[in-house]
Amino acid sequence: MSDILEKAKSIENYIINFRRDLHKNPELSSEEYQTQAKIINELEKMEIEYRKVGNTSLIATLKGKKSGKTIALRGDMDALPIKEEADLDFKSQKSGIMHACGHDAHTAMLLGAAKILSGMRDEIVGEIKFFFQEGEETFLGAKEIIKAGGMEEVDACFGMHGMPELETGYVNIEPGYRMAGSDTIYVKFEGVSGHGSAPHRAKDTIYPACTFVTDLQGIVTKNIDAQKPLVLSVGKFVGGTKANVVAKYTELDITMRYFDSEVRKKAHQAIKRHAKAIADAYELKVDIRIEDGTPSLYNDESLTVLAAQSAAKVFGKGRNKTIPKYMGSEDMAYYFKHAKGVYAFIGYRNEEKEAVYFPHHEKFKIDEDYMKYGTALHVQFALDFLKNSAS
């Protein structure tokens, strides 16, 4: 067992207790004021400098005895508007809000890493930044930290997420695309209202909008390379006011997930083209608005090699398992636009503890045994990167 994992085990109760307190008291995106205060209290005990940024985020900085490169470690803090149904002694005390994505554990692991590293200042060659980040679920938190200068002079960044595809004690660190980019597309058809008994005297928008919805999958299959994934899902469809009134307006909200930037560009063009063609065919007006989301997340190849070596020290050999990339999105990708980075998936699956649910489920649980591994990986990779950069 590695030295760093031993250090993580020695403070395991501290990490777990902090996580349980956050789990009992979840806060929604950019409202994590109590969470921020609790972290500040711990950072002050560790004598780690920090500053508040954004609404509730923190940038903490730990400088080693010798100058060198800078690495940023990130932990997200926000909960979700979900009513918890998991049977836990430390169940959410806030109705309709729960930590259903494991961000409470992410925060606790990063704080545990800060605690370990604060006692290793003499061994740190360079600087370590800890991003305690608000609003990952809304894709706003990373932007706030970047806007506040958090990524200035950062040479590499590292983050992680617990996942149920991997059992506790296993990790996934792979190069290349690991999570999808995300955009939201708003389409509004405008026609002419009229009586339901005489649709020929009006310009209905519901039928053309339905045609557009079915046509979207034709964009995926006929315009995009099948080996480059694209997902288009209509999550909201609103049209009309009453059964006997021809709908003047119909609006659609579409989520789009992709990896390749060229696929994104082609999809945007095709959606606009198809919507306009259908609107023209039925003599309608159409307005299309694209809201940029987070970019796709890409693990730097050379940095991934180093991270995999760090993981082997913590988890042991043969514990880095290959899993498919995810079509879900992560605002960690914004940091990767400013410095090379690696994002790891850590296993929390334990069927005996009912820790089997995918994030955002109302019965979401983690195997808390996984947290010592995540804490140790933060520490090990930070030390290895700084040492490797100094040599």
Side-chain angles (χ1 to χ4, degrees):
M1 188 176 290
S2 76
D3 253 6
I4 301 301
L5 184 57
E6 286 287 359
K7 289 179 184 291
K9 288 186 72 175
S10 72
I11 63 165
E12 189 171 11
N13 286 338
Y14 169 84
I15 300 164
I16 289 173
N17 289 335
F18 194 86
R19 179 256 167 171
R20 289 185 177 187
D21 181 50
L22 296 186
H23 195 89
K24 284 172 64 177
N25 301 282
E27 295 176 293
L28 295 174
S29 302
S30 299
E31 298 177 9
E32 309 94 330
Y33 296 102
Q34 291 181 14
T35 302
Q36 183 192 61
K38 290 170 184 176
I39 295 167
I40 287 173
N41 185 52
E42 296 304 313
L43 292 174
E44 289 180 346
K45 292 177 186 176
M46 300 173 198
E47 298 183 346
I48 295 178
E49 296 179 2
Y50 66 87
R51 62 188 176 101
K52 298 179 180 180
V53 301
N55 293 298
T56 55
S57 296
L58 291 166
I59 299 174
T61 304
L62 183 64
K63 295 182 179 180
K65 293 294 184 182
K66 297 179 181 178
S67 61
K69 298 285 188 179
T70 299
I71 185 169
L73 307 176
R74 179 271 213 157
D76 38 13
M77 308 187 299
D78 50 336
L80 287 157
I82 295 174
K83 185 176 181 180
E84 184 163 18
E85 294 183 12
D87 182 21
L88 297 171
D89 293 337
F90 49 93
K91 187 175 180 178
S92 171
Q93 295 180 350
K94 295 185 180 181
S95 180
I97 304 175
M98 76 171 284
H99 270 292
C101 203
H103 294 184
D104 50 344
H106 300 171
T107 299
M109 290 188 292
L110 184 60
L111 189 65
K115 188 175 181 66
I116 292 170
L117 287 162
S118 68
M120 302 178 70
R121 283 177 167 88
D122 291 346
E123 299 176 45
I124 297 172
V125 182
E127 186 174 304
I128 301 170
K129 291 186 178 183
F130 305 91
F131 294 162
F132 293 95
Q133 184 204 301
E134 66 187 271
E136 188 282 324
E137 297 292 351
T138 56
F139 298 153
L140 295 175
K143 291 179 182 178
E144 291 294 332
I145 287 177
I146 292 166
K147 186 168 67 175
M151 286 300 291
E152 291 175 7
E153 299 181 0
V154 170
D155 300 290
C157 46
F158 181 75
M160 62 178 65
H161 204 300
M163 281 297 181
E165 280 82 0
L166 298 163
E167 293 183 357
T168 300
Y170 288 84
V171 64
N172 167 261
I173 300 175
E174 292 182 60
Y177 290 116
R178 300 308 298 145
M179 296 192 77
S182 171
D183 292 327
T184 303
I185 301 159
Y186 302 94
V187 180
K188 183 177 182 179
F189 290 98
E190 180 182 345
V192 178
S193 61
H195 200 284
S197 66
H200 62 289
R201 297 180 184 276
K203 300 295 179 189
D204 176 42
T205 57
I206 289 180
Y207 180 77
C210 289
T211 302
F212 175 68
V213 170
T214 57
D215 193 55
L216 282 174
Q217 302 315 312
I219 292 174
V220 176
T221 59
K222 303 304 179 185
N223 292 128
I224 305 299
D225 183 344
Q227 297 189 53
K228 296 180 178 180
L230 174 72
V231 174
L232 293 172
S233 295
V234 179
K236 184 178 178 182
F237 186 110
V238 178
T241 57
K242 194 178 179 183
N244 65 347
V245 178
V246 173
K248 182 175 181 178
Y249 298 107
T250 297
E251 300 180 43
L252 301 86
D253 293 2
I254 306 163
T255 187
M256 185 177 95
R257 307 294 169 127
Y258 66 93
F259 292 106
D260 187 276
S261 59
E262 278 302 308
V263 166
R264 178 178 186 252
K265 181 179 177 181
K266 285 184 178 180
H268 284 184
Q269 293 171 342
I271 288 167
K272 292 175 182 177
R273 186 173 65 248
H274 284 234
K276 186 178 184 304
I278 289 171
D280 288 345
Y282 291 95
E283 301 175 280
L284 307 175
K285 295 178 183 178
V286 65
D287 178 70
I288 302 148
R289 181 168 63 88
I290 299 176
E291 184 180 89
D292 294 347
T294 179
S296 50
L297 187 148
Y298 189 94
N299 279 351
D300 179 80
E301 284 83 357
S302 61
L303 207 59
T304 299
V305 172
L306 181 62
Q309 292 170 354
S310 299
K313 296 175 186 177
V314 171
F315 291 85
K317 292 183 179 180
R319 296 274 172 158
N320 186 1
K321 297 293 186 181
T322 298
I323 60 174
K325 51 186 178 282
Y326 290 99
M327 293 308 294
S329 303
E330 235 291 355
D331 77 349
M332 186 82 194
Y334 287 118
Y335 299 121
F336 289 14
K337 296 297 181 183
H338 295 265
K340 59 186 179 179
V342 172
Y343 196 71
F345 296 114
I346 316 292
Y348 64 69
R349 186 178 187 86
N350 186 323
E351 294 189 11
E352 290 183 4
K353 297 180 180 180
E354 297 180 343
V356 297
Y357 297 102
F358 199 78
H360 295 212
H361 194 285
E362 61 270 12
K363 293 183 179 180
F364 177 86
K365 287 184 181 180
I366 63 167
D367 177 4
E368 291 178 321
D369 289 345
Y370 106 91
M371 295 170 64
K372 61 179 174 288
Y373 293 106
T375 298
L377 184 56
H378 270 307
V379 175
Q380 189 70 62
F381 180 68
L383 294 174
D384 287 348
F385 172 78
L386 295 175
K387 182 180 179 182
N388 187 66
S389 300
S391 59

